[in-house]
Amino acid sequence: MISARTPGAPIGVYDSGVGGLSVLRHIRAQLPAEDLIYFADSGHAPYGEKTEQYVVDRALLVAAFLLERGIKALVVACNTATVAAIKAVRARYPDLPVVGVEPGLKPAAAATRSGKVGVLATARTLKGEKFLQLREQISAATKAEFLLQPCIGLVDQIELGDLETPAIAALLEQYVAPLLDQGADTLVLGCTHYPFVQTGIERVLRAHGHQDVTLIDTGDAVARQLGRLLDGAGLLHPAPEAGQPSASLHGYTTADVGALAPAFANLLGLHPKVEKVVV
Ligand code: DGL
């Protein structure tokens, strides 16, 4: 049963795992009155190495689960799910405001001086028709050259929770260094997990004498777009009055709670209630 959408209802934020927390932090900062439900599909991650149909099926199941919990809007805080499945989610729920994330090719094309932009993303994102169309469009309009780098295995490592491991450092070196060698002066973080290893990426940049490379993350822009959409639909949560409880945050995961709860604590310093669910 889908409840009526009202300004007081929560917003669903969904990712294949903990990566969407890098978007959720911008939503909390920009829209502090909003109640949020975070869904980590960690039991089925990584999406980036699955088929497109698998990701579509998961996205529809998760959207249905969140609608049963009364969400007024959905943020698909996952590049892979946005590229593969946002069309299907919008077609299934035409009245639901849905915001997706896509690799920030447009801001990257505006930022590059060398004309070469490295795009770090999952293999599935970089193969998706929606992404390839975006690349065509932006390179035709700006003449920027996009160097595509699938980062196989990086999401699995970030999901494990420790961001300062030799395995992560080795993967970042393997994926970032060739882009620098090819002249990229701008790197797009095209997966919502990657902002959590930004320090490691910056370490690779420094090691190669390229600390002036610009990193592009669209979490902030996604939160702004969500605010605009809610405002336009008359769905912004009214600011709480004095004495009223502050906005709520609830987490669901399809893997062990022992992965999502520490991620909230370590990545964002938050301690919401987290439940394991079968979806
Ligand atoms: N955070 C997801 C994204 O933005 C990761 C996808 C995956 O699970 O591979 O693409």
Side-chain angles (χ1 to χ4, degrees):
M1 175 64 192
I2 297 167
S3 62
R5 279 184 262 296
T6 61
I11 297 164
V13 181
Y14 153 56
D15 179 44
S16 64
V18 302
L21 295 179
S22 71
V23 178
L24 181 126
R25 67 181 165 189
H26 290 287
I27 297 173
R28 277 176 49 90
Q30 291 185 34
L31 303 168
E34 299 293 342
D35 294 328
L36 302 176
I37 301 179
Y38 186 79
F39 190 103
D41 199 13
S42 297
H44 300 88
Y47 282 1
E49 289 143 51
K50 306 278 195 322
T51 65
E52 186 161 289
Q53 191 56 50
Y54 184 91
V55 180
V56 170
D57 292 345
R58 290 306 304 158
L60 291 173
L61 284 168
V62 173
F65 174 87
L66 289 170
L67 278 160
E68 279 166 16
R69 269 137 199 92
I71 59 165
K72 64 180 177 184
L74 175 66
V75 179
V76 181
C78 174
N79 293 263
T80 311
T82 298
V83 166
I86 204 165
K87 205 168 145 195
V89 174
R90 288 191 171 127
R92 175 80 56 95
Y93 302 108
D95 297 331
L96 177 71
V98 180
V99 179
V101 289
E102 276 184 305
L105 302 193
K106 202 169 166 190
T112 182
R113 299 164 308 277
S114 68
K116 291 192 179 177
V117 172
V119 185
L120 302 162
T122 70
R124 165 83 12 242
T125 295
L126 298 177
K127 276 192 271 196
E129 200 186 318
K130 191 168 158 58
F131 170 78
L132 293 171
Q133 277 170 5
L134 179 71
R135 183 183 69 162
E136 276 304 306
Q137 193 193 323
I138 307 291
S139 43
T142 65
K143 304 285 171 264
E145 184 185 345
F146 294 104
L147 312 168
L148 309 188
Q149 178 60 66
C151 300
I152 314 290
L154 190 52
V155 164
D156 307 68
Q157 290 297 324
I158 295 170
E159 282 288 307
L160 294 176
D162 185 354
L163 304 176
E164 291 293 335
T165 62
I168 289 184
L171 287 174
L172 293 178
E173 172 68 26
Q174 181 187 335
Y175 295 140
V176 171
L179 296 172
L180 303 176
D181 292 344
Q182 289 171 80
D185 68 353
T186 305
L187 296 182
V188 175
L189 306 183
C191 167
T192 54
H193 281 70
Y194 302 166
F196 291 127
V197 290
Q198 184 164 334
T199 308
I201 295 173
E202 286 165 351
R203 210 173 285 133
V204 177
L205 299 180
R206 277 197 304 278
H208 290 265
H210 285 282
Q211 47 274 35
D212 53 342
V213 162
T214 309
L215 300 180
I216 306 283
D217 166 25
T218 56
D220 188 48
V222 170
R224 255 181 285 126
Q225 168 65 4
L226 173 65
R228 275 195 296 269
L229 207 67
L230 292 177
D231 196 17
L235 285 174
L236 273 178
H237 197 297
E241 286 171 24
Q244 276 189 341
S246 57
S248 70
L249 175 62
H250 194 112
Y252 291 104
T253 176
T254 51
D256 287 339
V257 169
L260 183 57
F264 266 114
N266 299 338
L267 302 175
L268 303 185
L270 298 171
H271 301 85
K273 182 165 183 221
V274 174
E275 280 176 73
K276 179 172 179 173
V277 284
V278 178
V279 173

